[in-house]
Amino acid sequence: QVQLVESGGGSVQTGGSLRLSCAASGFTYSTRCAGWFRQAPGKEREGVAAIWSGGDSPVYADSVKGRFSISQDNAKNILYLQMNSLKPEDTAMYYCAAVGPWRCGNWYRGTEFAYWGQGTPVNVSS
């Protein structure tokens, strides 16, 4: 049975940092695309970052470039999202997703990811 479990969310002040983790079971991250998405109250889900196991450079939404970093530990089967210089507009529920499109093509919409976690909340106060 495939399961993705996020952790690491919380409340921080502007400029702070958080590291989100997504532990996987039932499959390995060393196949296909994995990513992080977020959804703020009253807004649509948006892509944050994605990583392709084949070695391509990770991809990021413009709003988080230079502040967030996605990585994966294939030995532990965990996906990470390091978030630095957090802003109030980063406040959202964050979801990990796995088994996504080939080389993360069209990753941003999230429609081609097979598995999703339950989400972890991030709240950034000013």
mmCIF file of all heavy atoms in Angstrom, residues 11-19 66-68 82-91 122-126:
data_model
loop_
_atom_site.group_PDB
_atom_site.id
_atom_site.type_symbol
_atom_site.label_atom_id
_atom_site.label_comp_id
_atom_site.label_asym_id
_atom_site.label_seq_id
_atom_site.Cartn_x
_atom_site.Cartn_y
_atom_site.Cartn_z
ATOM 1 N N SER A 11 4.535 26.965 12.708
ATOM 2 C CA SER A 11 4.400 28.421 12.662
ATOM 3 C C SER A 11 5.756 29.070 12.867
ATOM 4 O O SER A 11 6.480 28.707 13.806
ATOM 5 C CB SER A 11 3.434 28.892 13.752
ATOM 6 O OG SER A 11 2.130 28.400 13.519
ATOM 7 N N VAL A 12 6.073 30.017 12.009
ATOM 8 C CA VAL A 12 7.330 30.752 12.112
ATOM 9 C C VAL A 12 7.077 32.214 11.789
ATOM 10 O O VAL A 12 6.045 32.559 11.203
ATOM 11 C CB VAL A 12 8.400 30.213 11.145
ATOM 12 C CG1 VAL A 12 8.786 28.792 11.512
ATOM 13 C CG2 VAL A 12 7.942 30.298 9.702
ATOM 14 N N GLN A 13 8.014 33.049 12.134
ATOM 15 C CA GLN A 13 7.931 34.455 11.790
ATOM 16 C C GLN A 13 8.583 34.699 10.439
ATOM 17 O O GLN A 13 9.358 33.874 9.934
ATOM 18 C CB GLN A 13 8.613 35.303 12.864
ATOM 19 C CG GLN A 13 7.889 35.284 14.192
ATOM 20 C CD GLN A 13 8.481 36.252 15.190
ATOM 21 O OE1 GLN A 13 9.683 36.511 15.185
ATOM 22 N NE2 GLN A 13 7.640 36.790 16.062
ATOM 23 N N THR A 14 8.253 35.815 9.849
ATOM 24 C CA THR A 14 8.851 36.201 8.567
ATOM 25 C C THR A 14 10.372 36.127 8.658
ATOM 26 O O THR A 14 10.969 36.591 9.629
ATOM 27 C CB THR A 14 8.429 37.626 8.199
ATOM 28 O OG1 THR A 14 7.007 37.659 8.035
ATOM 29 C CG2 THR A 14 9.092 38.076 6.915
ATOM 30 N N GLY A 15 10.944 35.521 7.631
ATOM 31 C CA GLY A 15 12.390 35.354 7.600
ATOM 32 C C GLY A 15 12.876 34.043 8.177
ATOM 33 O O GLY A 15 14.063 33.705 8.040
ATOM 34 N N GLY A 16 11.987 33.303 8.801
ATOM 35 C CA GLY A 16 12.369 32.040 9.412
ATOM 36 C C GLY A 16 12.482 30.911 8.408
ATOM 37 O O GLY A 16 12.277 31.092 7.194
ATOM 38 N N SER A 17 12.811 29.734 8.921
ATOM 39 C CA SER A 17 13.020 28.561 8.076
ATOM 40 C C SER A 17 12.265 27.364 8.627
ATOM 41 O O SER A 17 12.048 27.258 9.832
ATOM 42 C CB SER A 17 14.512 28.211 8.004
ATOM 43 O OG SER A 17 15.269 29.247 7.417
ATOM 44 N N LEU A 18 11.901 26.482 7.719
ATOM 45 C CA LEU A 18 11.309 25.201 8.067
ATOM 46 C C LEU A 18 11.809 24.166 7.070
ATOM 47 O O LEU A 18 12.103 24.505 5.919
ATOM 48 C CB LEU A 18 9.783 25.241 8.011
ATOM 49 C CG LEU A 18 9.029 25.971 9.116
ATOM 50 C CD1 LEU A 18 7.546 26.062 8.754
ATOM 51 C CD2 LEU A 18 9.201 25.272 10.443
ATOM 52 N N ARG A 19 11.871 22.912 7.504
ATOM 53 C CA ARG A 19 12.168 21.831 6.579
ATOM 54 C C ARG A 19 11.036 20.812 6.647
ATOM 55 O O ARG A 19 10.781 20.218 7.695
ATOM 56 C CB ARG A 19 13.487 21.141 6.886
ATOM 57 C CG ARG A 19 13.871 20.141 5.795
ATOM 58 C CD ARG A 19 15.214 19.495 6.010
ATOM 59 N NE ARG A 19 15.168 18.422 6.992
ATOM 60 C CZ ARG A 19 16.059 17.431 7.066
ATOM 61 N NH1 ARG A 19 17.067 17.387 6.194
ATOM 62 N NH2 ARG A 19 15.972 16.509 8.005
ATOM 63 N N GLY A 66 15.302 30.494 -5.163
ATOM 64 C CA GLY A 66 16.325 31.134 -4.338
ATOM 65 C C GLY A 66 16.052 31.050 -2.853
ATOM 66 O O GLY A 66 16.931 31.362 -2.041
ATOM 67 N N ARG A 67 14.853 30.626 -2.472
ATOM 68 C CA ARG A 67 14.502 30.504 -1.046
ATOM 69 C C ARG A 67 14.231 29.062 -0.639
ATOM 70 O O ARG A 67 14.514 28.666 0.483
ATOM 71 C CB ARG A 67 13.266 31.354 -0.734
ATOM 72 C CG ARG A 67 13.429 32.824 -1.038
ATOM 73 C CD ARG A 67 12.224 33.637 -0.535
ATOM 74 N NE ARG A 67 10.973 33.244 -1.172
ATOM 75 C CZ ARG A 67 9.907 32.811 -0.526
ATOM 76 N NH1 ARG A 67 9.931 32.670 0.790
ATOM 77 N NH2 ARG A 67 8.788 32.491 -1.193
ATOM 78 N N PHE A 68 13.652 28.290 -1.510
ATOM 79 C CA PHE A 68 13.291 26.903 -1.217
ATOM 80 C C PHE A 68 14.215 25.959 -1.973
ATOM 81 O O PHE A 68 14.701 26.277 -3.065
ATOM 82 C CB PHE A 68 11.862 26.622 -1.645
ATOM 83 C CG PHE A 68 10.797 27.283 -0.819
ATOM 84 C CD1 PHE A 68 11.088 28.294 0.079
ATOM 85 C CD2 PHE A 68 9.470 26.892 -0.961
ATOM 86 C CE1 PHE A 68 10.103 28.901 0.832
ATOM 87 C CE2 PHE A 68 8.468 27.486 -0.216
ATOM 88 C CZ PHE A 68 8.784 28.503 0.667
ATOM 89 N N GLN A 82 13.326 22.271 1.924
ATOM 90 C CA GLN A 82 13.935 23.253 2.818
ATOM 91 C C GLN A 82 13.411 24.631 2.429
ATOM 92 O O GLN A 82 13.560 25.044 1.275
ATOM 93 C CB GLN A 82 15.456 23.215 2.693
ATOM 94 C CG GLN A 82 16.174 24.252 3.543
ATOM 95 C CD GLN A 82 15.998 23.993 5.041
ATOM 96 O OE1 GLN A 82 16.124 22.865 5.507
ATOM 97 N NE2 GLN A 82 15.718 25.049 5.786
ATOM 98 N N MET A 83 12.809 25.299 3.380
ATOM 99 C CA MET A 83 12.208 26.604 3.120
ATOM 100 C C MET A 83 12.898 27.658 3.962
ATOM 101 O O MET A 83 12.837 27.599 5.197
ATOM 102 C CB MET A 83 10.711 26.572 3.430
ATOM 103 C CG MET A 83 9.963 25.461 2.695
ATOM 104 S SD MET A 83 8.175 25.546 2.922
ATOM 105 C CE MET A 83 8.054 25.249 4.676
ATOM 106 N N ASN A 84 13.547 28.591 3.318
ATOM 107 C CA ASN A 84 14.235 29.676 3.991
ATOM 108 C C ASN A 84 13.606 31.011 3.632
ATOM 109 O O ASN A 84 12.861 31.112 2.659
ATOM 110 C CB ASN A 84 15.722 29.682 3.593
ATOM 111 C CG ASN A 84 16.430 28.406 3.977
ATOM 112 O OD1 ASN A 84 16.145 27.793 5.000
ATOM 113 N ND2 ASN A 84 17.377 27.989 3.145
ATOM 114 N N SER A 85 13.926 32.027 4.409
ATOM 115 C CA SER A 85 13.420 33.382 4.154
ATOM 116 C C SER A 85 11.913 33.369 3.929
ATOM 117 O O SER A 85 11.402 33.954 2.965
ATOM 118 C CB SER A 85 14.129 33.984 2.939
ATOM 119 O OG SER A 85 15.526 34.020 3.138
ATOM 120 N N LEU A 86 11.214 32.712 4.808
ATOM 121 C CA LEU A 86 9.769 32.558 4.648
ATOM 122 C C LEU A 86 9.045 33.893 4.739
ATOM 123 O O LEU A 86 9.448 34.796 5.486
ATOM 124 C CB LEU A 86 9.228 31.585 5.682
ATOM 125 C CG LEU A 86 9.504 30.114 5.347
ATOM 126 C CD1 LEU A 86 9.371 29.241 6.588
ATOM 127 C CD2 LEU A 86 8.563 29.631 4.263
ATOM 128 N N LYS A 87 7.982 33.988 3.956
ATOM 129 C CA LYS A 87 7.167 35.195 3.885
ATOM 130 C C LYS A 87 5.731 34.848 4.269
ATOM 131 O O LYS A 87 5.313 33.687 4.130
ATOM 132 C CB LYS A 87 7.186 35.755 2.465
ATOM 133 C CG LYS A 87 8.568 36.041 1.913
ATOM 134 C CD LYS A 87 8.473 36.475 0.460
ATOM 135 C CE LYS A 87 9.851 36.744 -0.140
ATOM 136 N NZ LYS A 87 9.757 37.157 -1.562
ATOM 137 N N PRO A 88 4.957 35.820 4.697
ATOM 138 C CA PRO A 88 3.544 35.534 5.014
ATOM 139 C C PRO A 88 2.790 34.896 3.850
ATOM 140 O O PRO A 88 1.908 34.059 4.068
ATOM 141 C CB PRO A 88 2.991 36.921 5.354
ATOM 142 C CG PRO A 88 4.163 37.659 5.912
ATOM 143 C CD PRO A 88 5.342 37.187 5.086
ATOM 144 N N GLU A 89 3.142 35.259 2.640
ATOM 145 C CA GLU A 89 2.459 34.685 1.471
ATOM 146 C C GLU A 89 2.809 33.220 1.236
ATOM 147 O O GLU A 89 2.215 32.571 0.377
ATOM 148 C CB GLU A 89 2.755 35.504 0.203
ATOM 149 C CG GLU A 89 4.216 35.778 -0.051
ATOM 150 C CD GLU A 89 4.629 37.144 0.446
ATOM 151 O OE1 GLU A 89 4.250 37.535 1.570
ATOM 152 O OE2 GLU A 89 5.368 37.834 -0.298
ATOM 153 N N ASP A 90 3.748 32.678 1.989
ATOM 154 C CA ASP A 90 4.047 31.244 1.928
ATOM 155 C C ASP A 90 3.103 30.427 2.803
ATOM 156 O O ASP A 90 3.139 29.190 2.777
ATOM 157 C CB ASP A 90 5.484 30.971 2.367
ATOM 158 C CG ASP A 90 6.518 31.582 1.436
ATOM 159 O OD1 ASP A 90 6.327 31.504 0.204
ATOM 160 O OD2 ASP A 90 7.512 32.135 1.935
ATOM 161 N N THR A 91 2.276 31.097 3.576
ATOM 162 C CA THR A 91 1.327 30.402 4.445
ATOM 163 C C THR A 91 0.361 29.560 3.622
ATOM 164 O O THR A 91 -0.291 30.067 2.707
ATOM 165 C CB THR A 91 0.545 31.418 5.288
ATOM 166 O OG1 THR A 91 1.447 32.081 6.180
ATOM 167 C CG2 THR A 91 -0.550 30.739 6.084
ATOM 168 N N VAL A 122 1.757 25.207 7.145
ATOM 169 C CA VAL A 122 2.813 26.186 7.354
ATOM 170 C C VAL A 122 2.168 27.548 7.530
ATOM 171 O O VAL A 122 1.366 27.972 6.694
ATOM 172 C CB VAL A 122 3.796 26.217 6.169
ATOM 173 C CG1 VAL A 122 4.770 27.380 6.305
ATOM 174 C CG2 VAL A 122 4.544 24.889 6.066
ATOM 175 N N ASN A 123 2.492 28.202 8.614
ATOM 176 C CA ASN A 123 1.945 29.528 8.898
ATOM 177 C C ASN A 123 3.097 30.479 9.168
ATOM 178 O O ASN A 123 3.905 30.242 10.073
ATOM 179 C CB ASN A 123 1.008 29.484 10.099
ATOM 180 C CG ASN A 123 0.405 30.842 10.377
ATOM 181 O OD1 ASN A 123 -0.309 31.400 9.553
ATOM 182 N ND2 ASN A 123 0.692 31.396 11.533
ATOM 183 N N VAL A 124 3.175 31.530 8.383
ATOM 184 C CA VAL A 124 4.245 32.504 8.515
ATOM 185 C C VAL A 124 3.624 33.831 8.945
ATOM 186 O O VAL A 124 2.809 34.397 8.224
ATOM 187 C CB VAL A 124 5.025 32.690 7.201
ATOM 188 C CG1 VAL A 124 6.201 33.643 7.426
ATOM 189 C CG2 VAL A 124 5.505 31.356 6.671
ATOM 190 N N SER A 125 4.007 34.303 10.100
ATOM 191 C CA SER A 125 3.455 35.547 10.626
ATOM 192 C C SER A 125 4.417 36.699 10.396
ATOM 193 O O SER A 125 5.637 36.527 10.379
ATOM 194 C CB SER A 125 3.160 35.401 12.118
ATOM 195 O OG SER A 125 4.343 35.068 12.820
ATOM 196 N N SER A 126 3.838 37.883 10.236
ATOM 197 C CA SER A 126 4.658 39.073 9.971
ATOM 198 C C SER A 126 5.085 39.726 11.261
ATOM 199 O O SER A 126 4.616 39.384 12.334
ATOM 200 C CB SER A 126 3.870 40.051 9.114
ATOM 201 O OG SER A 126 2.663 40.391 9.745
#
